């Protein structure tokens, strides 16, 4: 009999483990920075080159390691943080698997320099692709300095799967922020290709949150302090006015570890019920302290999901606690949870669920069609004329179907508006129904696409360049997009990486609009996880068109409706809005007849 079962070589086992723990450069940053925190450092510096492909270096002033430990730390299951299985349930430190260093060193070149308090010399250890290369004395300050080079050099498949540098760096920022947000008393610095991305001095929690997530939060944070026997929750939650669509500033931390938790997120949102519009969400930074024996952190290798023994109770505590916090701060009426008081709340009552447009901004003379009429529709191109003529055939002999009391003026269609939302008109084959917003969105979108192309390379210089109020993540995304946004007329100065200055804008938009459009572009980029899949021109045209298109609720006169229909059909793509939603429905006579059977 031959034996076929063999033990896997250590290096291979580590590589396989690395597949789970080390998915991308950001995972290395997370593991190394967490180790530095565990080592008691009060200053941690992260140096990145080429989004971590070339170099990830983490330097701390923590306790350091002895010569022997420095070598041992690379062994699998080597950890100073766990001694018996009981400890598994009681860990307060970040690490505990003893896997990170073994995994990282199996898929990269790692250089470790470390020294402990009072050491004459430190020690340097080098590993490459899981193999020990050397250990030698070195002069190095107290603390630890890890340099991880050529990540995944020996795992080409992994290397290939890495996304664009901008995406990978976004992930690094995300991990960095999570750690920085849990340790305000540690000074953190992050450099990318020698540029400072973050420089965070020791601070109070609130100062740290603002430094990480943006100055505009300064006015918007309400302190939270919920103290119960099963969990203590502190931190900050946003005032309702800070709620935004696609809010990404929402953080839960459990015993100082970042946690993803859609269930508890819902509890927070419920606390804001009727205070914010349902498609928005507030920012929040909530820190849970909980007995580690009542949670299970070991459910996922990257450890952002956590199971709770008392999840249901905690849900209710969050909802009630945040609601009470809001009411104490005079942003929500004090309420009694299970009754119908909601109806008397002065915020969003049933009838004004769609907030009205602020009156003072409303210009009664503004005609959304005017610009289209002048610059575009009045002067149809031959192709547009052709499109229009084709569609006008739709109207031929409409009178045989629908006879209105008023005789039709030559060339004018019978049109009515329904619910200030739909435009309905009889056509040859039946009834045509147009969604006014989607139709206008289509018209403006096509118009802007043309304008963008016609104005390529022209920039309207701003007399007073304007500092953009962006958080660091958004600034760095905008930096990645600088060439693309320049190609559509946005000239930005990144001398100060953390607050870009707007120097020029496309000639056909105004300054106030410019900032909003840039934010739209950034949001879009975030949604696509850092890769612009749609072209930048497309995003710009959509953003401008969406902003200006007439919305439902706007009354239109006959002339406006006529203009809208003509312009819509002149685009040659009347059926759908730019985001693919139906703009025109034809109800055939046969369908109508069937209803009368
Ligand atoms: P874990 O963090 O799960 O214990 P790691 O592989 O991340 O496992 O680290 C192994 C061990 O190496 C740690 O338990 C710790 O003793 C030591 N170590 C790692 N990084 C540092 C550091 N920056 N400073 C001091 N010791 C460290
Ligand atoms: Mg660790």
């Amino acid at each position: 009999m031959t034996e076929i079962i063999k033990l896997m070589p250590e290096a291979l086992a580590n590589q396989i483990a690395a597949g789970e723990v080390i998915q991308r450069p950001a995972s290395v940053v997370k593991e190394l920075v967490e180790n530095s925190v565990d080592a008691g450092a009060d200053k941690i510096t992260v140096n990145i080159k080429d989004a971590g492909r070339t170099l990830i270096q983490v330097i701390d002033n923590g306790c350091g390691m002895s010569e022997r430990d420095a070598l041992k730390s690379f062994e699998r299951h080597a950890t100073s943080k766990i001694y018996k299985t009981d400890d598994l349930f009681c860990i307060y430190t970040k690490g505990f698997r003893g896997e990170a260093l073994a995994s990282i060193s199996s898929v990269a070149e790692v250089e470790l320099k470390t020294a402990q308090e009072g050491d004459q010399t430190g020690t340097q250890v080098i590993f490459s692709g899981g193999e020990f290369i050397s250990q030698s004395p070195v002069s190095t300050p107290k603390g630890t300095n890890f340099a991880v080079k050529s990540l995944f050099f020996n795992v080409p498949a992994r290397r290939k799967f890495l996304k664009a540098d901008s995406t990978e760096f976004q992930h690094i920022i995300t991990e960095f922020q999570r750690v920085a947000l849990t340790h305000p008393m540690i000074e953190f610095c992050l450099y990318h290709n020698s540029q400072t991305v973050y420089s965070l001095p020791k601070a109070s929690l609130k100062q740290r949150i603002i430094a990480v997530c943006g100055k505009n939060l300064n006015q918007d944070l309400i302190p939270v302090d919920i103290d119960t026997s099963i969990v203590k929750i502190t931190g900050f939650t946003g005032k309702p006015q800070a709620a935004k669509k696609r809010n990404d500033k929402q953080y839960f931390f459990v015993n100082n570890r970042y946690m993803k938790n859609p269930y508890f997120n819902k509890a927070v949102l419920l606390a804001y019920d009727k205070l914010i519009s349902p498609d928005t969400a507030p920012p929040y930074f909530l820190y849970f302290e909980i007995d580690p024996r009542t949670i299970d952190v070991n459910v996922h290798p990257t450890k952002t999901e956590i199971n709770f023994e008392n999840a249901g109770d905690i849900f209710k505590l969050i909802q009630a606690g945040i609601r009470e916090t809001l009411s104490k701060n005079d942003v929500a009426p004090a309420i009694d949870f299970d009754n119908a008081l909601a109806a008397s709340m002065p915020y969003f009552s049933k009838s004004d669920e769609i907030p009205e447009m602020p009156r003072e901004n409303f210009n009664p003379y503004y005609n959304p069609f005017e610009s289209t009429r002048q610059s575009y529709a009045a002067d149809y191109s031959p192709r547009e004329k052709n499109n229009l003529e084709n569609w006008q055939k739709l109207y031929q002999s409409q009178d045989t179907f629908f006879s209105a009391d008023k005789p039709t003026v030559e060339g004018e269609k019978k049109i009515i508006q329904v619910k200030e939302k739909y435009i309905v008109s009889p056509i040859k084959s039946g009834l045509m129904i147009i969604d006014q917003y989607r139709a206008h969105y289509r018209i403006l979108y096509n118009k802007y696409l043309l304008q963008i192309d016609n104005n390529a390379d022209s920039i309207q210089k701003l007399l007073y360049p304007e500092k953009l109020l962006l958080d660091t993540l958004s600034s760095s995304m905008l930096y990645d997009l600088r060439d693309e946004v320049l190609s559509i007329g946005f000239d930005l100065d990144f001398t100060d990486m953390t607050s870009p200055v707007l120097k020029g804008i496309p000639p056909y938009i105004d300054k106030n609009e410019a900032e909003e459009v840039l934010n739209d572009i950034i949001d879009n980029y975030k949604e696509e996880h850092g890769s612009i899949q749609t072209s930048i021109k497309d995003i710009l045209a959509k953003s401008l068109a969406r902003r200006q298109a007439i919305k439902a609720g706007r009354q239109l006169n006959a002339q406006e409706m006529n203009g809208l229909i003509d312009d819509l059909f002149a685009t040659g793509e009347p059926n759908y809005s730019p985001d693919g939603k139906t703009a025109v429905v034809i109800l055939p006579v046969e369908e109508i007849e069937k209803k009368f059977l």
Side-chain angles (χ1 to χ4, degrees), residues 57 59-65 112-123 138-146:
Q57 184 178 34
I59 305 166
D60 71 51
N61 63 355
C63 63
M65 285 178 264
L112 157 66
K113 287 191 238 173
T114 185
Q116 291 180 302
E117 183 87 70
D119 282 355
Q120 289 295 331
T121 53
T123 183
V138 71
S139 150
T140 187
K142 179 210 152 199
T144 301
N145 179 337
F146 270 105

Side-chain angles (χ1 to χ4, degrees), residues 30-32 34-36 38 78-79 81 94-101 303:
K30 173 185 150 77
E31 295 295 340
L32 294 183
E34 288 187 346
N35 280 347
S36 295
D38 285 346
T79 175
K81 300 166 195 173
K94 306 266 169 203
F96 60 86
R97 293 175 156 238
E99 249 174 7
L101 293 183
K303 296 171 283 181

Side-chain angles (χ1 to χ4, degrees), residues 398-406 414:
Q398 59 183 25
D399 285 4
T400 58
F401 162 63
F402 196 96
S403 147
D405 359 19
K406 209 172 55 161
K414 295 182 193 110

